[in-house]
Amino acid sequence: MLDGTAVLDERVAGTLFSEVTAITETAPGTYSAEVHPNWTIGGKPNGGYLLALLGRAATTVGHHTHVLATSAHYLSAPQPGSVVIHTELLRGGRSASQVRATLVQGETRCVEALLTAGELDPDAQPYWSAGVPARDFVDFDKSVRVPPQTPVGIEVLIMDEVDLRLDPTVLNFAFGAPSGAGELRGWLALGGNEDFDPCSLLFAVDAFPPATFEIASTGWVPTLELTAYVRALPAPGPLKVLQQAQLIEGQKVDEACFVWDSRGRLVAQATQLAGIRLG
Amino acid sequence: MLDGTAVLDERVAGTLFSEVTAITETAPGTYSAEVHPNWTIGGKPNGGYLLALLGRAATTVGHHTHVLATSAHYLSAPQPGSVVIHTELLRGGRSASQVRATLVQGETRCVEALLTAGELDPDAQPYWSAGVPARDFVDFDKSVRVPPQTPVGIEVLIMDEVDLRLDPTVLNFAFGAPSGAGELRGWLALGGNEDFDPCSLLFAVDAFPPATFEIASTGWVPTLELTAYVRALPAPGPLKVLQQAQLIEGQKVDEACFVWDSRGRLVAQATQLAGIRLG
């Protein structure tokens, strides 16, 4: 089921992230987009992918290039197909644009997000870093590509569109024996050798399977809220991703996500609260 | 400057949290409120206090009692005094209400937040916990109450309204020798022996001084984005609070916050991205 021999080149025929997040302005501040049917888990569009669509709209309507901070609340999962994005520039300052963006399908509001955009300096250096949570990552080539189907048989078409590899030491769930550690780590690359940018980092922070895979097997873990901070312009190459659960209680789980680029720089951080059928 | 002998009773004459977060409906979904001049740092209202005002509005307009997840973007700091809160119920489901709330002063939008409210079960128990970040806390009575003035002379009137105590081991900054650890921990209690609830937890996650105090002395560290998850109904008594910085880069710092109640249960988690004059 998990096949370490699959390689990046095999899925270059897949969609390009820049294409599946294309938006078209139809009125001032209003955009149309097509949610691609392959960027889905069990038929439902990935939440980070939807957030990236809102990021594209926010950086188009605002006066700044890079999403720095965004927080999304998920109202109703859209179907693949046509959606409309409504934006409002809440404040356009010198150093930042603050934007509200809402993804709508038909009459249904699906996702609403607040986004702060600014300019990331490509020459910025960390002034101070706690260096946590430090982890050793098994090499990209020795990590195991996640197939387009979950252990419980749910179709995850998005795994054919990106190259997502898990560290072999966090694959206990795949053998029916989750470690209980509540942590997944591995690598992420886009199709077509596309490099990451601040918008695709919004996808990267929600690309991994739930960290709860290493706790217990569950059904869908729907994201209720997702917050992402983009901290630096990512260097070309695959990203290292660490996804950690902290607490499962009252049928909710939170997860923290940390993303490093090929230079080893922390380029994005995120937290999410999701529903889960445990506890 | 830091006086461990100050005790809770000395400031019971201060304001009550329930009073300074009172809201009055003036039209369907619109509320008026008064931002109290004492709940300020250098004359600017505390961001968590403003978020709690939005939490009160969201749980009034929605069909659910407890804020579960909220994310706020700070547009412009209001002055103490009259503000108006506009709300819109984005989705009212069976298990959750999702609300947009905007705090406005005059013609200026000051804070916009998205909030998901639901019902927290008082009998819920943790199903799984990573138990991190585990820390030993010095007892409340042996911790040091923060005075209403910062080391660099900024007036922090809010410290007379609440009882915020820092662990003596994180007070290196007060002696001009920050440890470099980027972490503060201590205790928080409200005036008048008021117990915490989900709305006042939204204040608790932003009550502490910046964790950067233990890195370098800086001026104002304005919050750009604040996300808070309320995980359980808090038991009566003071809260334990841990505030941690992760990365300072490009004049931005992120901080994570963890809040435990007197039972030792994790009741709230938060992250924020703030501006800082370092890096």
Side-chain angles (χ1 to χ4, degrees), chain B residues 15-224:
Chain B
T15 50
L16 290 178
F17 189 80
S18 54
E19 288 173 2
V20 301
T21 57
I23 60 170
T24 305
E25 188 161 23
T26 55
T30 301
Y31 305 88
S32 66
E34 290 292 319
V35 174
H36 198 282
N38 289 12
W39 285 68
T40 52
I41 300 102
K44 294 178 193 294
N46 172 277
Y49 164 45
L50 298 177
L51 183 55
L53 282 169
L54 298 180
R56 293 247 183 269
T59 48
T60 304
V61 75
H63 311 302
H64 293 87
T65 317
H66 306 129
V67 174
L68 304 182
T70 177
S71 11
H73 286 237
Y74 292 84
L75 309 167
S76 175
Q79 298 299 314
S82 297
V83 295
V84 172
I85 299 167
H86 298 287
T87 64
E88 183 163 350
L89 183 62
L90 298 172
R91 183 163 183 272
R94 189 180 48 80
S95 62
S97 297
Q98 293 165 299
V99 178
R100 178 203 303 151
T102 313
L103 189 147
V104 176
Q105 189 168 57
E107 299 296 305
T108 305
R109 273 194 279 223
C110 299
V111 189
E112 183 154 305
L114 299 171
L115 305 101
T116 295
E119 301 298 327
L120 288 166
D121 175 358
D123 298 324
Q125 294 290 331
Y127 171 85
W128 178 90
S129 172
V132 289
R135 290 291 185 284
D136 287 328
F137 278 71
V138 170
D139 288 350
F140 181 83
D141 291 341
K142 292 186 176 142
S143 294
V144 179
R145 192 158 171 212
V146 172
Q149 198 170 41
T150 72
V152 293
I154 298 167
E155 222 178 21
V156 189
L157 294 181
I158 195 171
M159 293 305 167
D160 276 339
E161 307 301 315
V162 301
D163 188 340
L164 194 160
R165 296 177 181 217
L166 290 176
D167 191 303
T169 61
V170 299
L171 288 177
N172 307 284
F173 70 88
F175 303 99
S179 69
E183 176 174 312
L184 295 181
R185 54 186 179 277
W187 299 83
L188 180 69
L190 296 175
N193 291 316
E194 242 181 323
D195 292 329
F196 283 93
D197 67 9
C199 262
S200 47
L201 286 177
L202 301 182
F203 160 65
V205 299
D206 189 45
F208 265 52
T212 54
F213 271 28
E214 276 289 72
I215 299 170
S217 176
T218 64
W220 191 37
V221 181
T223 302
L224 303 171

Side-chain angles (χ1 to χ4, degrees), chain A residues 112 132 225 229 246 249 254, chain B residues 100 132 225 229 231 246:
Chain A
E112 183 156 306
V132 289
E225 198 277 347
Y229 303 149
Q246 169 82 16
E249 182 171 330
D254 66 290
Chain B
R100 178 203 303 151
V132 289
E225 199 276 348
Y229 303 148
R231 306 306 304 276
Q246 170 82 15

Side-chain angles (χ1 to χ4, degrees), chain A residues 68-76 88-91 98-100 102 109 112-116 121 124-133 180-183 215-216 224-227 229-233 244-250 252-255 258 260 265-267 269 271-273 278-279, chain B residues 68-76 88-91 98-100 102 109 112-116 121 124-133 180-183 215-216 224-227 229-233 244-250 252-255 258 260 265-267 269 271-273 278-279:
Chain A
L68 304 181
T70 177
S71 11
H73 286 238
Y74 292 84
L75 309 167
S76 176
E88 182 164 348
L89 183 61
L90 298 172
R91 183 164 182 272
Q98 293 164 300
V99 177
R100 178 202 304 149
T102 312
R109 274 193 279 222
E112 183 156 306
L114 299 170
L115 305 100
T116 296
D121 175 0
Q125 294 290 330
Y127 171 86
W128 178 92
S129 171
V132 289
E183 177 174 313
I215 299 170
L224 303 171
E225 198 277 347
L226 173 62
T227 293
Y229 303 149
V230 176
R231 305 306 304 275
L233 290 171
Q244 289 180 310
Q246 169 82 16
L247 176 68
I248 302 175
E249 182 171 330
K252 303 275 186 302
V253 61
D254 66 290
E255 294 179 76
F258 301 87
W260 295 267
R265 293 273 293 275
L266 184 66
V267 292
Q269 304 159 292
T271 60
Q272 65 173 275
L273 188 71
L278 290 174
Chain B
L68 304 182
T70 177
S71 11
H73 286 237
Y74 292 84
L75 309 167
S76 175
E88 183 163 350
L89 183 62
L90 298 172
R91 183 163 183 272
Q98 293 165 299
V99 178
R100 178 203 303 151
T102 313
R109 273 194 279 223
E112 183 154 305
L114 299 171
L115 305 101
T116 295
D121 175 358
Q125 294 290 331
Y127 171 85
W128 178 90
S129 172
V132 289
E183 176 174 312
I215 299 170
L224 303 171
E225 199 276 348
L226 173 63
T227 292
Y229 303 148
V230 176
R231 306 306 304 276
L233 291 171
Q244 289 181 309
Q246 170 82 15
L247 177 67
I248 302 176
E249 181 170 331
K252 302 275 187 301
V253 60
D254 66 292
E255 294 178 75
F258 300 88
W260 294 267
R265 293 273 293 276
L266 184 66
V267 292
Q269 304 159 292
T271 60
Q272 65 173 277
L273 188 70
L278 291 175

